[in-house]
Amino acid sequence: MGRSPCCDKAKVKKGPWSNEEDSILVNFVANHGNGGNWISLPKQAGLNRCGKSCRLRWLNYLRPDIRHGDFTDDEDYIIYALYNNIGSKWSVIASNLTGRTDNDVKNYWNTKLKKKISSGKFKNMNIPMVNISKHNNTYYSGRSNSSTELLDRSHPFLHSQVGQDDIFDTRKGYENFIQSGYTSSNNSVTDPEISSYSGSSSSVDVNQNSLGSITSFKGEEDEFWMDLLSDSFDDVVHGSQLEEKISEIASLLDDSFS
DNA sequence: AAGCCATGCAACCGCGGCATA
DNA sequence: GTATGCCGCGGTTGCATGGCT
């Protein structure tokens, strides 16, 4: 049994939004919100549009907190690291970037960043340490602001606890990424949460996904990392809060080095 | 100047998840 | 347990623009 259509597609307008339509939508949402129902919004607002189209226009373009324009190197790093770890979960990746939408990130990856990485231009940059962990179905990411320094040094504590240098080294993941040869169809990943772990608790489960990068580790190492994260992540954080939390993690790591 | 092509991005589509009756 | 309806997501499409020949 099929789903009934959300609107009469033959009667509603499709295609690019006009300035007038934009202002109607902006004014309506500003005054009334979406009322928890996008489907009925266009009728109430006097727009001849599908509710889904209104939602998309608002979320991807008209929202006041959206940041347009070029992506920074930092954003490149975060997108790269998250994609390498969790795949094309654009909404999760976007939630770690202030003011970026999943559509923005997806388009940026598909049109620019993917090429930038596979062309090797990414290689000359100081790729910082980025890690991702998943706990209680929530993805956490941490990036050290002073990561270049950190990665240029050996860290005996991490080595002894984690047992493998490149767990924390996204540059290593990048090398693997380049060596594996990226193709547009080669984008499946393994969910870190369900990746197999059959070794003893002291061994590292380095899960190689199809991009040849490191995605997860489990066992004692997981506990170590979650302990570290739990000092900074009392709750789920997204967007602007994340940078602050990342700085806290960076401090923790710096302390552990000194 | 005109035509072609590549690129970037806004928007659409369809499906799965979830809540509710 | 099942049907219904909305939301959110990822994949894809198509148009506008700019560069090249």
Side-chain angles (χ1 to χ4, degrees):
Chain A
M1 181 168 159
R3 174 187 302 277
S4 59
C6 61
C7 58
D8 187 343
K9 296 188 189 309
K11 291 182 180 174
V12 297
K13 185 184 172 187
K14 292 167 67 174
W17 282 63
S18 67
N19 291 336
E20 186 185 0
E21 287 175 312
D22 281 349
S23 61
I24 290 172
L25 181 56
V26 167
N27 288 334
F28 187 86
V29 173
N31 292 325
H32 306 93
N34 75 329
N37 189 340
W38 285 104
I39 300 302
S40 62
L41 182 147
K43 192 173 181 179
Q44 295 171 18
L47 285 165
N48 185 28
R49 288 277 184 174
C50 173
K52 289 180 76 169
S53 180
C54 293
R55 175 184 164 272
L56 205 66
R57 183 67 178 168
W58 173 257
L59 291 178
N60 286 342
Y61 202 82
L62 297 176
R63 260 191 307 159
D65 56 338
I66 284 182
R67 205 155 44 92
H68 296 290
D70 292 343
F71 282 68
T72 65
D73 286 348
D74 279 359
E75 287 175 313
D76 283 357
Y77 303 142
I78 293 171
I79 294 168
Y80 160 73
L82 284 167
Y83 184 90
N84 238 7
N85 280 269
I86 63 175
S88 58
K89 297 182 189 303
W90 303 117
S91 60
V92 175
I93 296 173
S95 70
N96 284 282
L97 301 169
T98 307
R100 300 294 188 184
T101 70
D102 53 353
N103 211 35
D104 271 344
V105 175
K106 178 175 58 181
N107 282 334
Y108 180 62
W109 173 265
N110 286 329
T111 60
K112 291 181 179 175
L113 189 54
K114 196 164 67 181
K115 294 171 190 169
K116 189 175 178 179
I117 292 169
S118 58
S119 72
K121 288 179 182 173
F122 212 59
K123 198 171 185 175
N124 295 328
M125 298 177 183
N126 294 322
I127 298 174
M129 174 176 64
V130 179
N131 68 77
I132 288 83
S133 182
K134 187 182 180 186
H135 186 63
N136 292 336
N137 290 322
T138 301
Y139 289 97
Y140 299 92
S141 69
R143 178 172 59 85
S144 165
N145 291 332
S146 55
S147 56
T148 305
E149 271 186 53
L150 297 180
L151 290 169
D152 285 343
R153 288 184 279 172
S154 295
H155 189 272
F157 175 67
L158 293 183
H159 290 186
S160 64
Q161 292 294 312
V162 179
Q164 188 144 343
D165 305 356
D166 51 11
I167 284 294
F168 295 93
D169 189 346
T170 50
R171 290 184 302 185
K172 178 70 175 179
Y174 173 71
E175 296 296 330
N176 291 336
F177 179 84
I178 294 298
Q179 285 167 15
S180 68
Y182 179 79
T183 62
S184 61
S185 62
N186 188 14
N187 60 359
S188 64
V189 296
T190 303
D191 187 334
E193 191 67 14
I194 59 173
S195 63
S196 63
Y197 175 68
S198 55
S200 68
S201 61
S202 61
S203 67
V204 177
D205 174 28
V206 178
N207 173 27
Q208 299 282 333
N209 69 13
S210 62
L211 299 178
S213 64
I214 295 157
T215 60
S216 71
F217 54 96
K218 297 203 171 193
E220 286 180 359
E221 299 76 26
D222 217 8
E223 291 172 19
F224 159 74
W225 189 238
M226 286 314 301
D227 284 346
L228 182 65
L229 284 173
S230 65
D231 287 337
S232 289
F233 288 99
D234 294 329
D235 205 346
V236 179
V237 294
H238 292 296
S240 59
Q241 288 181 299
L242 190 62
E243 286 299 317
E244 192 180 325
K245 294 298 180 186
I246 286 171
S247 295
E248 290 178 21
I249 290 177
S251 298
L252 282 170
L253 286 168
D254 278 333
D255 290 345
S256 73
F257 269 81
S258 57

